[in-house]
Amino acid sequence: MTLDLTTTMPSADHTEISPKPADTSGPAFDDIVVGAGVIGLAHAYALARRGRKVLVIERHARALGASVRNFGMIWPIGQTLGANMNLALKSRQIWAGLLERSGIWHHQGGSLHVAHHDDEAQVLREFHELATQAGYELELLDARATTTCSRAVNPQGLKLSLYSRHEIAVDPREVIGKLPGYLRANYGVRFEYGQMVRSIDGQKVKTSAGQWSARRFWLCTGDETQILYPEILTRQGMFPCKLQMLRTAAQTGDWKIGPHLAGGLTLRHYTSFAACPTLAELKARVAREMPLMDHFGIHVMASQNGRGELTIGDSHEYNPPEEPFGTVSPFNTRQIDDLIMNYLKTIMVAPDLEIAERWFGVYLKHPGKLLFETAAEPHVEILTGIGGNGMTLSMGVSEQHVARVLGEASTQDLAPESASTKPALV
């Protein structure tokens, strides 16, 4: 087995784009994208590379939402085999080319799912069979090969692991900070930060700083879509999910995690594993032995950025559609952090696991779809509700969305996120 663990490093400087007041007589654009998070940037890229004149408007001085609060994992292996996996792999392909050309740090190290229990090992064997039959390239590694692949894996009680070469590591804060500069310099995309969009009237958008005009508007604003079109989100029954995450300081020396690392709890979380025959037995054991992991929706993963810092998480606390601002606390909970870290130490070893940063993120989730897109008005497109798949799917869904709206091609329907059907060929 040959693993490509090479690393691409960027220059140290971040591109800063200073907010400017809008020119109220201002230039007409082909497209205005509202929101400079990862979905907005992906839409801007998809549009600009078609030669269109694009403006991106962001309400904050920089994007502050879920796009900068995640692992930085481009993670195709989490998607249901078939149409969703195809889309994730397409998105990954777009990301890889863009990251290489822009010089933004990334690491094409793949991922390891490690099994420290017999039931976890069995699920990985089943998934390996299903996925390879569907054409997805994976390897089952025994304990010795696993620890050779990654020095981060805890060898105690290790059964085996599943290696995928497709996953990419990025630093989400760096991507969101630097990608606008690349789009501006190479595609002429204009960025206006610190402007709140107040209304869209025909082909005019009014912001807190003035007015802009365009042929079409693309709202990539997550849960803030409710500011302009609250009734649309209400009818869809979308609801927020809160995640707690942690980050260490840079690891000492030249220590590297290698591939992204995920433990057996992760097999409960991603729909890619839902078709495995014995997954129910694994879930039952976790429910008996670790009920708080279910209560807080915890599964444990780790990634490493270019500075050597480890990002660790995460939990998933959902407020249901009927009570979207209900029981989930707006504050971090030490109990959740402790559960994550205690479990992490059973699957991973590292020089320094002292936590330097703690935060939570919130994303919007659709109750039955992988994502939600609609035309709010003849010239206003919305894409939101992508849940925890934003970094992975952003480039693919934006390319697909833009192509469909511009009448370039028909697209294959996506399976619901909760689907557990037998995978189609990829």
Side-chain angles (χ1 to χ4, degrees):
M1 176 186 65
T2 301
L3 304 183
D4 179 12
L5 302 183
T6 56
T7 302
T8 302
M9 295 296 296
S11 61
D13 296 333
H14 280 260
T15 300
E16 296 292 341
I17 302 173
S18 301
K20 301 175 182 178
D23 179 357
T24 55
S25 62
F29 292 86
D30 294 314
D31 303 278
I32 291 178
V33 177
V34 183
V38 70
I39 299 296
L41 294 178
H43 273 75
Y45 177 59
L47 292 161
R49 73 187 190 90
R50 287 166 164 81
R52 298 171 71 88
K53 189 174 182 181
V54 180
L55 167 67
V56 178
I57 300 175
E58 165 62 42
R59 67 178 297 191
H60 300 291
R62 65 182 70 177
L64 299 174
S67 295
V68 297
R69 303 187 188 197
N70 58 77
F71 285 101
M73 293 178 173
I74 297 170
W75 192 253
I77 197 169
Q79 296 300 316
T80 306
L81 297 169
N84 294 14
M85 180 70 77
N86 288 343
L87 180 61
L89 291 171
K90 175 63 176 177
S91 187
R92 183 250 187 234
Q93 181 182 25
I94 298 171
W95 266 120
L98 179 58
L99 292 166
E100 186 68 28
R101 290 189 299 275
S102 66
I104 295 174
W105 179 87
H106 61 288
H107 175 46
Q108 298 190 45
S111 66
L112 271 179
H113 286 76
V114 296
H116 287 80
H117 291 82
D118 289 335
D119 53 6
E120 297 166 358
Q122 180 59 26
V123 169
L124 289 179
R125 292 189 192 98
E126 293 166 355
F127 180 72
H128 177 261
E129 181 178 1
L130 288 171
T132 52
Q133 287 175 355
Y136 191 62
E137 299 177 18
L138 302 171
E139 293 182 70
L140 280 175
L141 307 180
D142 62 19
R144 177 175 294 183
T146 299
T147 54
T148 300
C149 177
S150 173
R151 63 201 299 185
V153 179
N154 186 350
Q156 185 174 356
L158 179 65
K159 306 297 182 182
L160 53 78
S161 69
L162 183 76
Y163 172 74
S164 165
R165 66 178 176 85
H166 296 284
E167 287 64 48
I168 301 176
V170 298
D171 185 332
R173 305 175 196 181
E174 186 173 0
V175 168
I176 301 303
K178 288 187 172 182
L179 193 52
Y182 174 80
L183 295 178
R184 180 179 60 179
N186 290 272
Y187 293 94
V189 177
R190 182 166 179 171
F191 286 83
E192 293 293 338
Y193 285 80
Q195 293 193 32
M196 175 73 173
V197 172
R198 291 177 170 170
S199 65
I200 298 175
D201 184 7
Q203 294 184 320
K204 300 284 187 181
V205 59
K206 293 182 179 179
T207 77
S208 54
Q211 180 173 282
W212 305 92
S213 62
R215 298 177 184 175
R216 193 178 304 274
F217 301 91
W218 307 80
L219 269 60
C220 306
T221 49
D223 62 345
E224 293 182 1
T225 306
Q226 63 186 321
I227 296 172
L228 292 174
Y229 297 99
E231 69 285 353
I232 291 178
L233 298 193
T234 300
R235 287 198 301 267
Q236 289 296 314
M238 284 185 273
F239 55 95
C241 174
K242 174 193 170 189
L243 311 91
Q244 281 188 207
M245 303 191 69
L246 311 99
R247 178 173 283 186
T248 71
Q251 298 300 296
T252 56
D254 64 348
W255 189 93
K256 301 295 182 186
I257 193 175
H260 294 305
L261 190 63
L265 290 179
T266 297
L267 305 178
R268 300 151 44 253
H269 180 73
Y270 288 109
T271 58
S272 52
F273 301 101
C276 296
T278 65
L279 181 63
E281 297 173 22
L282 186 156
K283 288 182 174 180
R285 176 181 62 80
V286 172
R288 289 193 309 270
E289 298 178 359
M290 297 177 280
L292 287 177
M293 298 302 194
D294 283 348
H295 179 74
F296 293 116
I298 292 172
H299 74 117
V300 178
M301 308 169 74
S303 64
Q304 189 176 32
N305 63 26
R307 295 181 298 279
E309 301 161 339
L310 295 173
T311 302
I312 301 160
D314 57 355
S315 58
H316 299 78
E317 297 180 88
Y318 302 98
N319 278 326
E322 64 272 15
E323 195 178 4
F325 304 100
T327 59
V328 174
S329 170
F331 307 106
N332 275 16
T333 304
R334 180 175 178 178
Q335 181 184 21
I336 292 176
D337 288 352
D338 289 345
L339 287 167
I340 291 171
M341 292 305 298
N342 289 340
Y343 182 85
L344 179 75
K345 293 171 184 176
T346 70
I347 66 169
M348 179 180 174
V349 291
D352 183 5
L353 290 177
E354 182 177 354
I355 301 304
E357 294 181 348
R358 306 169 190 266
W359 70 90
F360 73 85
V362 176
Y363 59 64
L364 198 63
K365 187 175 177 65
H366 194 281
K369 298 179 180 180
L370 183 67
L371 55 91
F372 174 68
E373 60 180 61
T374 190
E377 299 180 44
H379 302 292
V380 180
E381 302 292 333
I382 293 174
L383 194 151
T384 187
I386 199 169
N389 301 298
M391 187 62 71
T392 297
L393 295 181
S394 52
M395 290 295 166
V397 300
S398 298
E399 174 64 27
Q400 187 178 45
H401 190 209
V402 167
R404 181 186 60 77
V405 171
L406 298 184
E408 295 177 2
S410 60
T411 56
Q412 185 177 355
D413 290 338
L414 298 175
E417 190 177 9
S418 58
S420 58
T421 56
K422 185 175 180 179
L425 292 177
V426 291

